[in-house]
Amino acid sequence: MAKPPQEPRVAEVVMLIQWVAIEIPTERLAEIVNTVAPVPLTQRLLELALLKQPGVLEGRHSNVPVTVQDLAHALVAEGASRVVLPTCESCGRAVRMPHKTPSGGRRCSRCERNARSVACATCDRVRPVQRTIDGKRYCRECWRADPRSFDHCSRCGQRATIVVRRPGLVCLACYTAPIKTCGLCGEPGRVASHLDGRRVCARCYYAMRTPQPCPECGRKVFLTGFMNAQKVCADCAGAPITMACPGCGSIEEVRKHRLCAECRRPITIQRLLCDETDDIRPELQPLADYLLTHHGKANSLERWHHKSKCAAVLRELAEGTLPLAADAIITRAQSGQSVAFLLSLLVRSGVLPELDVEAARFDHWFEKWLSEVGHAEDRLVLRRYCTWELLRSTRAFRAVSRGPSNPAAGFQRQRAALKHCAALLHEIRSQHETLATFPQRRLDAFLTDSPSQRDALAPFTRWLRRHHLSTLRVEFRPSRLEGRHYESDHRWQMARRFLTDTDMDSKTRAAGLLVLLYGIQLTRIITLTRDQVDATSQPVKLTIGAEPIELPKVLGDAIIDLVDASMRHPEGWLFPGRNPGLHLTPGPISRRLRAEGLRSGSARTTALIELTRQMHPRIVSDLLGITPASAAAWSRLASGDWSDYPKIRSASD
């Protein structure tokens, strides 16, 4: 005969606990009991535990059932001051304790696992016992490798390690963990581990293998502990450190394939540069040393090894199938970014001699591109123009430039200019004309409204006239400073946002404030080095021109963060780039600023107009490192009148 169904016992449990939880209303106590014991059978067991152990909620008993533990934690969370949380007999933590001890107390899952750990009969490591045979205890790893654990799987029929024996034999490959509700995220998933008596799904378990900021201490480490209903680090939870790298003991690096990323760095480099004899060629040894000490993140190095086209080229260099020469590498790599990165890496590490990487890339491109130009006379004109005009002007500009320039951008402009020149020569040939006979009116009809076309053809036609090859003329665009600019209020509104936004990273904050406050171009911001920063002074000083600038505290702190980060780079760039030894290009910084709603060109225009309105152009020139003529032009655009300034300044001096 079936047993009669259990009756709900919520009211009876509430009567037993309301005297120790007088701060909580009766209705709320009923909700707590329903949450802790949702079915009548559990409610009856909870009632019996409270009746048999008077004062159990006040800490008078050591053997506290799990349901009573859950009730005590729920009452304390609601503010019950008389309730005492039960603690683990071994570690003293107030956590869930599902295990009984021989002395009549309770202990948590961690202490239970440690108590059952003994020296493995095979590996001698103190680990939890997986199997005991003839008095010998084996850990899980050793038992799974032991032939005695092998049998024929009932699902696949293979002879393999058996992990489940009831109701049928199931091998490790066929076994799938049961789907249960995760004790951390509350979502259903396959159980991967247990933490303090709580099931941990695979998503939460593998998330533990990635360092995250601890909500208690703020350190970015593995969160393998549980406290106050949230994942915390082992130190804050008072638990032993788990998941530490067996190589270095670190809990701050991503774990991959047993070791952390830093410990795998030498393995990754060996696999990348070794030849068929598993040795690194002597000429590539400097590159191995450089990657071991100078490459920033070991995790990105391993990702680069598996996915980058450069890694495939390096493998060919290591195997000896590709000559260790710049021309061969440029021809093989093909992709412009891959070539620039790889050559910069080889030059910086000392494998290749000092080399102008961008110039070598341009020379290789020019020879290939010029061979595709149809007519021999056009090829001759373009070669002479490129050699004696474009490249010479580029080298002269880089020689007299006040600061480091961006060679890649300069050669990119030269490529575009040569393509426009080749298009003009092709147009002349298609109309059965020559440079000497092509009329000006047809050139005017050929021109479009493209600024880049005019910027390319104006110096080309000037060079043609100088060498008496043609009388064609394309006028240069007038140089004007006018342009879109912010209203002053909008500029300061943006500046306040960059000064007060605590979530903004240091690179974006520093670049944005240098544009908003001082009108500095992004092409100059990215070339700043730590030698230009005086971090010992208060406030922090930054030297851009002839005189240093005292920075606001927020901007100074951001610059100091960049200085600290640049210590890993011997070149000293505050904005280090992707290619070894080079600084960042303006594009990534510009995109960051646009994502924050800041257009650098408009902000710079407004800043320089207001600065030259408030200060004499000579002072602006000394502070910002722009030419006096440019500062005077900005002053005229701002409608400033400083005609009496030299007289006043000399009198005050």
Side-chain angles (χ1 to χ4, degrees), residues 481-483 485-489 491-492 517-519 602-621 623-624 626 630-645:
L481 295 177
E482 293 88 344
H485 63 278
Y486 288 158
E487 295 296 333
S488 179
D489 292 343
R491 174 199 172 208
W492 288 113
L517 300 182
Y518 306 108
S602 301
R604 177 175 179 267
T605 299
T606 304
L608 287 175
I609 287 176
E610 294 192 4
L611 287 174
T612 52
R613 187 177 293 158
Q614 299 167 4
M615 295 184 293
H616 190 271
R618 173 62 69 177
I619 298 179
V620 175
S621 173
L623 290 176
L624 303 185
I626 61 178
S630 178
W634 282 108
S635 180
R636 288 193 299 271
L637 185 61
S639 302
D641 183 10
W642 292 92
S643 58
D644 57 344
Y645 175 78

Side-chain angles (χ1 to χ4, degrees), residues 305-489:
H305 169 222
H306 291 293
K307 297 183 178 181
S308 174
K309 296 179 181 179
C310 296
V313 180
L314 275 179
R315 289 294 308 141
E316 296 183 14
L317 291 174
E319 294 168 358
T321 58
L322 182 67
L324 191 57
D327 290 339
I329 294 172
I330 294 174
T331 303
R332 169 64 181 84
Q334 296 180 354
S335 172
Q337 289 187 350
S338 298
V339 168
F341 176 82
L342 187 53
L343 288 180
S344 300
L345 181 64
L346 294 174
V347 170
R348 191 64 194 171
S349 61
V351 174
L352 289 179
E354 284 297 328
L355 172 72
D356 191 334
V357 174
E358 295 302 331
R361 284 184 56 204
F362 179 83
D363 292 340
H364 185 271
W365 170 87
F366 180 69
E367 294 298 333
K368 181 180 178 182
W369 173 81
L370 192 63
S371 64
E372 299 173 356
V373 176
H375 202 277
E377 292 184 6
D378 293 348
R379 291 197 295 269
L380 179 60
V381 170
L382 290 172
R383 182 181 293 278
R384 290 175 57 190
Y385 175 64
C386 177
T387 303
W388 300 107
E389 184 68 18
L390 286 183
L391 294 183
R392 187 171 63 176
S393 62
T394 300
R395 296 189 187 100
F397 173 77
R398 293 170 65 181
V400 302
S401 178
R402 291 192 171 195
S405 59
N406 184 8
F411 284 112
Q412 186 63 30
R413 288 192 294 268
Q414 308 297 25
R415 292 186 183 94
L418 285 171
K419 291 178 182 179
H420 283 297
C421 297
L424 174 60
L425 294 177
H426 177 73
E427 177 68 17
I428 294 174
R429 293 287 175 188
S430 65
Q431 298 191 21
H432 306 289
E433 299 281 355
T434 65
L435 284 171
T437 62
F438 194 67
Q440 180 70 36
R441 67 178 185 277
R442 292 189 182 178
L443 174 60
D444 295 338
F446 173 75
L447 294 176
T448 63
D449 294 332
S450 170
S452 60
Q453 183 193 49
R454 186 172 293 275
D455 290 343
L457 295 182
F460 180 57
T461 55
R462 181 182 62 183
W463 179 82
L464 292 174
R465 293 194 307 273
R466 186 189 306 148
H467 290 80
H468 308 291
L469 298 176
S470 175
T471 59
L472 298 175
R473 179 184 297 271
V474 175
E475 298 295 337
F476 286 85
R477 286 192 300 154
S479 178
R480 296 180 298 178
L481 295 177
E482 293 88 344
R484 293 174 50 192
H485 63 278
Y486 288 158
E487 295 296 333
S488 179
D489 292 343

Side-chain angles (χ1 to χ4, degrees), residues 180-190 201 203:
K180 301 289 185 179
T181 301
C182 176
L184 300 184
C185 65
E187 298 292 332
R190 298 197 180 278
C201 67
R203 293 186 298 272

Side-chain angles (χ1 to χ4, degrees), residues 3-55:
K3 293 183 179 180
Q6 292 278 350
E7 295 293 332
R9 310 293 293 178
V10 176
E12 288 77 4
V13 174
V14 169
M15 291 183 60
L16 291 173
I17 65 175
Q18 62 183 359
W19 64 277
V20 293
I22 56 178
E23 301 92 345
I24 306 174
T26 305
E27 295 79 6
R28 180 56 184 156
L29 287 176
E31 294 177 1
I32 293 174
V33 172
N34 270 315
T35 302
V36 173
V39 296
L41 178 59
T42 313
Q43 296 168 7
R44 177 58 178 166
L45 294 176
L46 178 60
E47 178 188 8
L48 292 176
L50 295 173
L51 290 173
K52 292 180 179 180
Q53 296 177 308

Side-chain angles (χ1 to χ4, degrees), residues 98-158:
H99 306 282
K100 296 180 181 180
T101 63
S103 60
R106 289 269 177 168
R107 60 186 169 205
C108 62
S109 297
R110 187 199 72 192
C111 294
E112 178 70 13
R113 184 172 61 251
N114 294 338
R116 294 184 179 183
S117 297
V118 296
C120 174
T122 301
C123 65
D124 290 331
R125 292 184 299 173
V126 178
R127 305 292 297 275
V129 178
Q130 179 74 13
R131 194 66 181 267
T132 302
I133 299 179
D134 297 333
K136 295 182 179 180
R137 297 176 174 86
Y138 301 90
C139 67
R140 183 176 62 178
E141 289 80 2
C142 294
W143 172 246
R144 287 182 177 179
D146 195 305
R148 289 173 293 181
S149 68
F150 290 12
D151 210 330
H152 292 282
C153 176
S154 61
R155 296 183 182 179
C156 65
Q158 300 292 327

